[in-house]
Amino acid sequence: MLKKFILGKRQKTTPTLRDKIEKINKLPVPEHVAIIMDGNGRWAKKRALPRIAGHHEGMKVVRNTTMLANDLGIKTLTLYAFSTENWKRPKNEVEYIMKLPEEFLGTFLPELIKNNVQVKMMGYKDQLPVHTLRAIEKAMEETKYNTGLILNFALNYGSRAEILDAVKQVLNDNKNGILKETELDEKVFSSYLMTANYTDPDLLIRTSGEIRLSNFMLWQLAYSELWFTDVLWPDFSEEHLLEAIEAFQNRQRRFGGI
Ligand code: FPP
């Protein structure tokens, strides 16, 4: 897989990038990487462009990040594309972001399919525009048998709402005799979350210099390694992803032990 990446798929792979990939490939890579893609607005502002230009540029970075994550053998890449709080943004910006999945998948779905990537989504589907949901569901359908990287878009996702909904379902199942109180443990509770089918993220990346979680995967990130960078999302390159993974590989994960 990696060999293919190094030898053929990207003409622009520089020797330095190739060296870094080879080095990283010698150690285990994180199974699940989650990213808070932040800084699109500031990227655009710095260039006197409208904020949506930053989101458009950010979309291209989604493609490059996905391809490299897939080549590195990362199993799941969860990207925070729109939060349940992002509806507070100006209408034109929200409408633009809601068109991005169509543009992204319209442009890159054939490449994702060719590279065995499986597209998934987590979040509250009901409030999404029909055109957005349709594009994502089409991509999910067309990639459902793919066995490479799972590209999981967190779209209209909010962690507190997710946890609260899980609690309500647990109470309901308990009331209906499906789940006994003594059976409820962390593993069972996790199965009520939108991430039921995934392992918890091993590595969380947040761009743009903000050091917070912004209601993202609060339960799932309990033992994740966190990596923050000042780089704005549209400037996030393959080198930056490799830097984050290298930092992860140098961390000692103790999960509360010694
Ligand atoms: C945060 O930056 C970014 C978002 C809320 C949108 C993220 C969306 C993309 C990167 C494109 C997604 C692509 C697909 C395919 C769904 P910000 O606007 O808060 O930046 P700022 O903090 O600098 O204002």
Side-chain angles (χ1 to χ4, degrees):
M1 217 45 186
L2 194 62
K3 212 168 175 189
K4 198 169 79 182
F5 173 82
I6 296 166
L7 297 179
K9 281 209 297 192
R10 303 257 177 77
Q11 264 86 34
K12 276 202 269 178
T13 306
T14 61
T16 336
L17 187 62
R18 198 179 311 142
D19 293 346
K20 281 185 191 164
I21 292 170
E22 274 175 8
K23 189 173 168 217
I24 275 162
N25 200 41
K26 291 199 175 96
L27 290 168
V29 295
E31 188 173 324
H32 186 171
V33 176
I35 308 185
I36 303 178
M37 310 179 288
D38 197 9
N40 294 349
R42 276 163 284 169
W43 182 92
K45 196 175 174 202
K46 268 168 69 178
R47 288 159 181 79
L49 294 168
R51 292 178 55 82
I52 58 170
H55 295 315
H56 193 260
E57 200 61 26
M59 185 190 74
K60 297 185 206 161
V61 178
V62 169
R63 180 261 171 201
N64 293 345
T65 304
T66 303
M67 298 314 285
L68 179 54
N70 190 34
D71 287 336
L72 287 170
I74 290 168
K75 290 205 170 66
T76 309
L77 177 67
T78 297
L79 301 178
Y80 204 10
F82 194 86
S83 76
T84 43
E85 288 73 40
N86 285 152
W87 297 104
K88 293 178 205 150
R89 294 183 176 219
K91 193 165 168 265
N92 77 314
E93 185 175 339
V94 170
E95 281 176 2
Y96 188 81
I97 295 176
M98 287 300 154
K99 281 186 194 144
L100 282 179
E102 280 160 283
E103 185 177 347
F104 176 80
L105 295 164
T107 312
F108 299 120
L109 187 57
E111 189 182 21
L112 297 177
I113 291 171
K114 203 170 137 211
N115 285 280
N116 202 20
V117 172
Q118 190 184 153
V119 177
K120 299 290 259 183
M121 184 218 135
M122 67 174 189
Y124 293 94
K125 292 182 178 173
D126 291 357
Q127 292 113 350
L128 291 178
V130 176
H131 60 91
T132 312
L133 195 55
R134 206 181 287 143
I136 290 174
E137 285 185 335
K138 177 178 173 283
M140 283 170 57
E141 180 61 29
E142 288 181 28
T143 61
K144 68 179 176 191
Y145 298 119
N146 288 356
T147 54
L149 175 86
I150 294 170
L151 171 60
N152 180 33
F153 285 109
L155 199 61
N156 196 23
Y157 171 84
S159 186
R160 285 188 171 183
E162 176 196 32
I163 292 169
L164 217 54
D165 283 343
V167 170
K168 286 178 190 169
Q169 283 176 48
V170 164
L171 289 173
N172 209 36
D173 282 356
N174 179 249
K175 194 175 79 187
N176 295 325
I178 298 165
L179 181 75
K180 293 197 199 96
E181 189 186 330
T182 48
E183 288 168 343
L184 182 63
D185 58 15
E186 291 182 10
K187 196 161 174 254
V188 171
F189 186 75
S190 296
S191 73
Y192 282 81
L193 297 171
M194 292 176 188
T195 46
N197 297 321
Y198 312 125
T199 56
D200 288 339
D202 303 288
L203 171 66
L204 170 84
I205 297 173
R206 181 170 189 152
T207 58
S208 93
E210 310 293 352
I211 317 287
R212 55 176 171 261
L213 295 180
S214 301
N215 202 17
F216 187 53
M217 302 181 92
L218 301 178
W219 171 277
Q220 297 89 338
L221 292 172
Y223 282 104
S224 309
E225 295 298 323
L226 312 180
W227 192 81
F228 298 96
T229 175
D230 287 341
V231 173
L232 304 174
W233 178 251
D235 291 326
F236 189 81
S237 66
E238 289 160 331
E239 273 90 354
H240 295 122
L241 178 61
L242 295 174
E243 199 183 320
I245 295 171
E246 207 177 350
F248 168 85
Q249 291 177 329
N250 287 320
R251 301 263 179 101
Q252 275 198 346
R253 303 186 80 193
R254 288 192 289 274
F255 299 96
I258 52 169

